[in-house]
C-alpha cells in the first residue's frame, strides 16, 4: 500500500489568526503581528502575504515597516501577539484533522504545521488532490485559517514539496520519480534539516543545490558529518523511513529518556550593565531551572552558565561550568555558584543581553538522599517539601502564583515573563 503523507501548514499562522478574528482575508490584508505594540523596535512575529511581498517577514522590526514608502504602509494593521489564542486555534485545527485520521496518525510538528498519514483512506475521502481540497476547505470554514499542503510517500518528501512548491500553489505532490524534477533544483539551504552553518559547510564542498547533495559521494558525507551526512544524502533522494503513525504507547505515558541537562535562557529586552540588575536575572533563571529539574524528579551535579553581550560589542560573551559540591535541584544551593561564575567571567565594561543557565550530570533525586554529620538533613528535607508544594501550586493555579519577592523589582525578568507563552504575551481581545 502506498503511503500518503500530508504535511499541512497554516499560512502566516499568527497573522492569519488575527485576520480571522477581524473577518479579513489574509491574502489581501496588510497585517503584522508584533511582540510589543509600544516598542519602535518590536519584533515582527508574523506577516500576511502582502506584507511579505514588501519585504517584511518574520524577524523584521517595526522600524523596517516605518521605512517603507507611505503608499505601502498607510493601510498596515498592527496586532500584538496573543499566544494563548494562537494555541487554541492550533488545537482546533488538529481536532478538525481528527475527522480525517486517528490520533496516532497525526504528528504535530509545530504550532502551525502537522504531518498526517492518510494511507488507505482513498475510499473514504478520494484521491490526494480531492482530500487536500477537502481538508483546506474544512479548516478554513471552521477557523478562517488558510492552509497549504504537501503530499508525498514519506515525511521528508511531504515537507520538502510543501516548502518548495505547496506554499506557492496551495497543494503540491511529489512521488519518488518526481524528486529529480521537483526537489533537486532547489538551493541547499532549502533542504529540511540544513541550517545556516551546515549550508556553509556543504557549500565549501561545492554543494549548492539539493541535487548536488544527492550526487555527492555518500561515503565522503558520512566521513565528514557522520550519521547526519548520510541522512541528508538519503533525504536528498527522497528516502525516509521515519514513522508518521506512532505506537499508542508513545501517546500514553511512554517512558522517556532522561535528559542530559535541564536549562533555561532569556534574551533580555534591554542591555543590563550593573551587577545588581544581572543578579536578579540569574536568580529568576535559577528559580525556573530548579523548578523544571524538581518536576522531572532529578537533581544536578554541575551548573552551566552562558552569557552573550549586546550586539554592538566586539566580544561575543562567555560560557563557564562548575561541578557542585552535592547533587541538588534547589536554586538556593546552586545560585551562589552561578553568581561566582558570572563575576569570574564578566567584563564590567560589557552590557549583557542574553543569559542561560543549566543543571547537568542529572540523576534521579531518589538516588541522592545524602546524610551528613555536618548539615541539618531534616531542614533540607523540609526545604524540598516546601519547594515541591510551591511547584504544585504554580502548576495548578498558573506559573508565578507563588514567586520570590525579588521578582517585583524593576529589573527582574520574572516581573513580565511569568505570564508569557513562548516569551510572548498570552494576549486578550484582538486589537
Amino acid at each position: 500500500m502506498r503511503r500518503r503523507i500530508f504535511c499541512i501548514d497554516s499560512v502566516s499562522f499568527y497573522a492569519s489568526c488575527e485576520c480571522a478574528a477581524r473577518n479579513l482575508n489574509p491574502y489581501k490584508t496588510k497585517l503584522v503581528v508584533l511582540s510589543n505594540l509600544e516598542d519602535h523596535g518590536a519584533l515582527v512575529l508574523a506577516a500576511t502575504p502582502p506584507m511579505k511581498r514588501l519585504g517584511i517577514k518574520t524577524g523584521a522590526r517595526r522600524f523596517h515597516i516605518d521605512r517603507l514608502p507611505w503608499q505601502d504602509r498607510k493601510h498596515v494593521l498592527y496586532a500584538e501577539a496573543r499566544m494563548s489564542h494562537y494555541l487554541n486555534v492550533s488545537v482546533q485545527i488538529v481536532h478538525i484533522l481528527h475527522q480525517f485520521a486517528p490520533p496516532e496518525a497525526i504528528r504535530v510538528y509545530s504550532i502551525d504545521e502537522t504531518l498526517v498519514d492518510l494511507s488507505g483512506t482513498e475510499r473514504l475521502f478520494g484521491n490526494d488532490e480531492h482530500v487536500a481540497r477537502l481538508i483546506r476547505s474544512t479548516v478554513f470554514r471552521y477557523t478562517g485559517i488558510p492552509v497549504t499542503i504537501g503530499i508525498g510517500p514519506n515525511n521528508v518528501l511531504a515537507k520538502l514539496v510543501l516548502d518548495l512548491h505547496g506554499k506557492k500553489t496551495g497543494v503540491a505532490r511529489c512521488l519518488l520519480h518526481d524528486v529529480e524534477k521537483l526537489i533537486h533544483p532547489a538551493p541547499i539551504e532549502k533542504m529540511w534539516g540544513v541550517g545556516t552553518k551546515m549550508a556553509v559547510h556543504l557549500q565549501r564542498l561545492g554543494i549548492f543545490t539539493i541535487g548536488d547533495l544527492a550526487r555527492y559521494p555518500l561515503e565522503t558525507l558520512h566521513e565528514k558529518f557522520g550519521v547526519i551526512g548520510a541522512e541528508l544524502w538519503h533525504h536528498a533522494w527522497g528516502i525516509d523511513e521515519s514513522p508518521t503513525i506512532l505506537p499508542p504507547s508513545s501517546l500514553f505515558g511512554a517512558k522517556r529518556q532522561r535528559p542530559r541537562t535541564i536549562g533555561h535562557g532569556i534574551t533580555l529586552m534591554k542591555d543590563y550593565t550593573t551587577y545588581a540588575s544581572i543578579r536578579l536575572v540569574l536568580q529568576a533563571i535559577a528559580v525556573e531551572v530548579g523548578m523544571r529539574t524538581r518536576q522531572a524528579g532529578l537533581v544536578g551535579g554541575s551548573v552551566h552558565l552562558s552569557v552573550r553581550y549586546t550586539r554592538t560589542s566586539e566580544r561575543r560573551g562567555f560560557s563557564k561550568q562548575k561541578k557542585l559540591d552535592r547533587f541538588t535541584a534547589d536554586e538556593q544551593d546552586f545560585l551562589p555558584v552561578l553568581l561566582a561564575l558570572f563575576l569570574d567571567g564578566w567584563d564590567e565594561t560589557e552590557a549583557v543581553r542574553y543569559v542561560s543557565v543549566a543543571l547537568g550530570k542529572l540523576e534521579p533525586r531518589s538516588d541522592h538522599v545524602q546524610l551528613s554529620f555536618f548539615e541539618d538533613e531534616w531542614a533540607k528535607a523540609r526545604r524540598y517539601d516546601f519547594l515541591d508544594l510551591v511547584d504544585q501550586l504554580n502548576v495548578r493555579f498558573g506559573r508565578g502564583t507563588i514567586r520570590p519577592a525579588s521578582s517585583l523589582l524593576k529589573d527582574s525578568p520574572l516581573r513580565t515573563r511569568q505570564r508569557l507563552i513562548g516569551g510572548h504575551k498570552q494576549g486578550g481581545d484582538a486589537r
Side-chain angles (χ1 to χ4, degrees), residues 138 151 191 429:
T138 305
I151 307 168
M191 182 72 186
D429 296 332

Side-chain angles (χ1 to χ4, degrees), residues 169-419:
T169 62
V171 177
R173 184 176 71 159
C174 181
L175 302 181
L176 287 174
H177 60 75
D178 300 318
V179 169
E180 291 187 75
K181 176 183 176 183
L182 297 179
I183 306 300
H184 283 183
I188 190 62
E189 54 267 26
K190 295 289 187 180
M191 182 72 186
W192 192 21
V194 173
T196 304
K197 292 184 179 179
M198 177 60 81
V200 171
H201 290 309
L202 293 173
Q203 288 164 357
R204 287 174 180 167
L205 299 176
I207 300 173
F208 296 96
T209 67
I210 296 177
D212 293 338
L213 175 64
R215 290 183 288 270
Y216 206 83
L218 171 59
E219 296 79 8
T220 306
L221 289 170
H222 189 274
E223 181 181 339
K224 289 184 175 294
F225 304 110
V227 175
I228 293 176
E231 183 180 67
L232 287 175
W233 184 89
H234 284 88
H235 287 178
W237 283 107
I239 301 170
D240 173 39
E241 297 298 326
S242 61
T244 306
I245 293 184
L246 303 176
S249 61
S250 68
L251 302 175
F252 305 103
K255 186 177 180 180
R256 295 184 178 180
Q257 189 175 13
R258 184 195 307 164
R260 298 176 64 181
T261 63
I262 292 178
H264 183 62
I266 294 178
T267 299
L268 302 169
M269 297 303 292
K270 63 178 182 178
D271 289 345
Y272 278 59
T273 57
T274 67
Y275 174 69
S277 60
I278 296 169
R279 190 185 191 283
L280 292 174
V281 174
L282 289 170
Q283 181 177 357
I285 300 177
V287 168
E288 178 71 19
V289 172
M291 182 190 71
R292 292 184 183 182
T293 306
R294 291 190 296 272
Q295 288 179 332
L298 301 171
V299 288
S302 65
V303 65
H304 308 250
L305 170 67
S306 180
V307 173
R308 287 206 301 265
Y309 296 140
T310 188
R311 286 184 300 174
T312 57
S313 172
E314 295 181 358
R315 300 176 59 191
R316 180 172 179 81
F318 63 90
S319 294
K320 288 183 174 291
Q321 62 179 352
K322 187 174 182 179
K323 182 179 178 181
L324 297 170
D325 293 335
R326 59 182 292 163
F327 283 79
T328 185
D330 183 353
E331 58 271 13
Q332 201 173 71
D333 292 337
F334 63 84
L335 180 58
V337 180
L338 269 180
L339 297 175
L341 288 175
F342 176 77
L343 288 174
D344 185 49
W346 180 44
D347 181 342
E348 294 184 18
T349 63
E350 298 286 357
V352 174
R353 199 60 186 253
Y354 173 85
V355 181
S356 71
V357 173
L359 283 177
K361 296 184 179 179
L362 299 176
E363 295 188 11
R365 182 166 144 188
S366 57
D367 294 348
H368 287 274
V369 179
Q370 301 176 357
L371 299 179
S372 170
F373 289 111
F374 307 104
E375 296 184 70
D376 187 346
E377 294 300 326
W378 288 112
K380 286 189 173 293
R382 290 194 298 273
R383 165 75 178 170
Y384 266 104
D385 288 341
F386 166 73
L387 291 173
D388 288 338
L389 177 60
V390 170
D391 294 342
Q392 291 170 20
L393 291 172
N394 282 330
V395 168
R396 181 173 180 180
F397 297 106
R399 183 170 297 183
T401 300
I402 299 179
R403 49 182 167 163
S406 60
S407 66
L408 299 176
L409 296 176
K410 178 182 177 182
D411 287 326
S412 173
L414 284 178
R415 187 178 184 184
T416 56
R417 294 185 69 93
Q418 288 287 0
R419 301 297 180 181

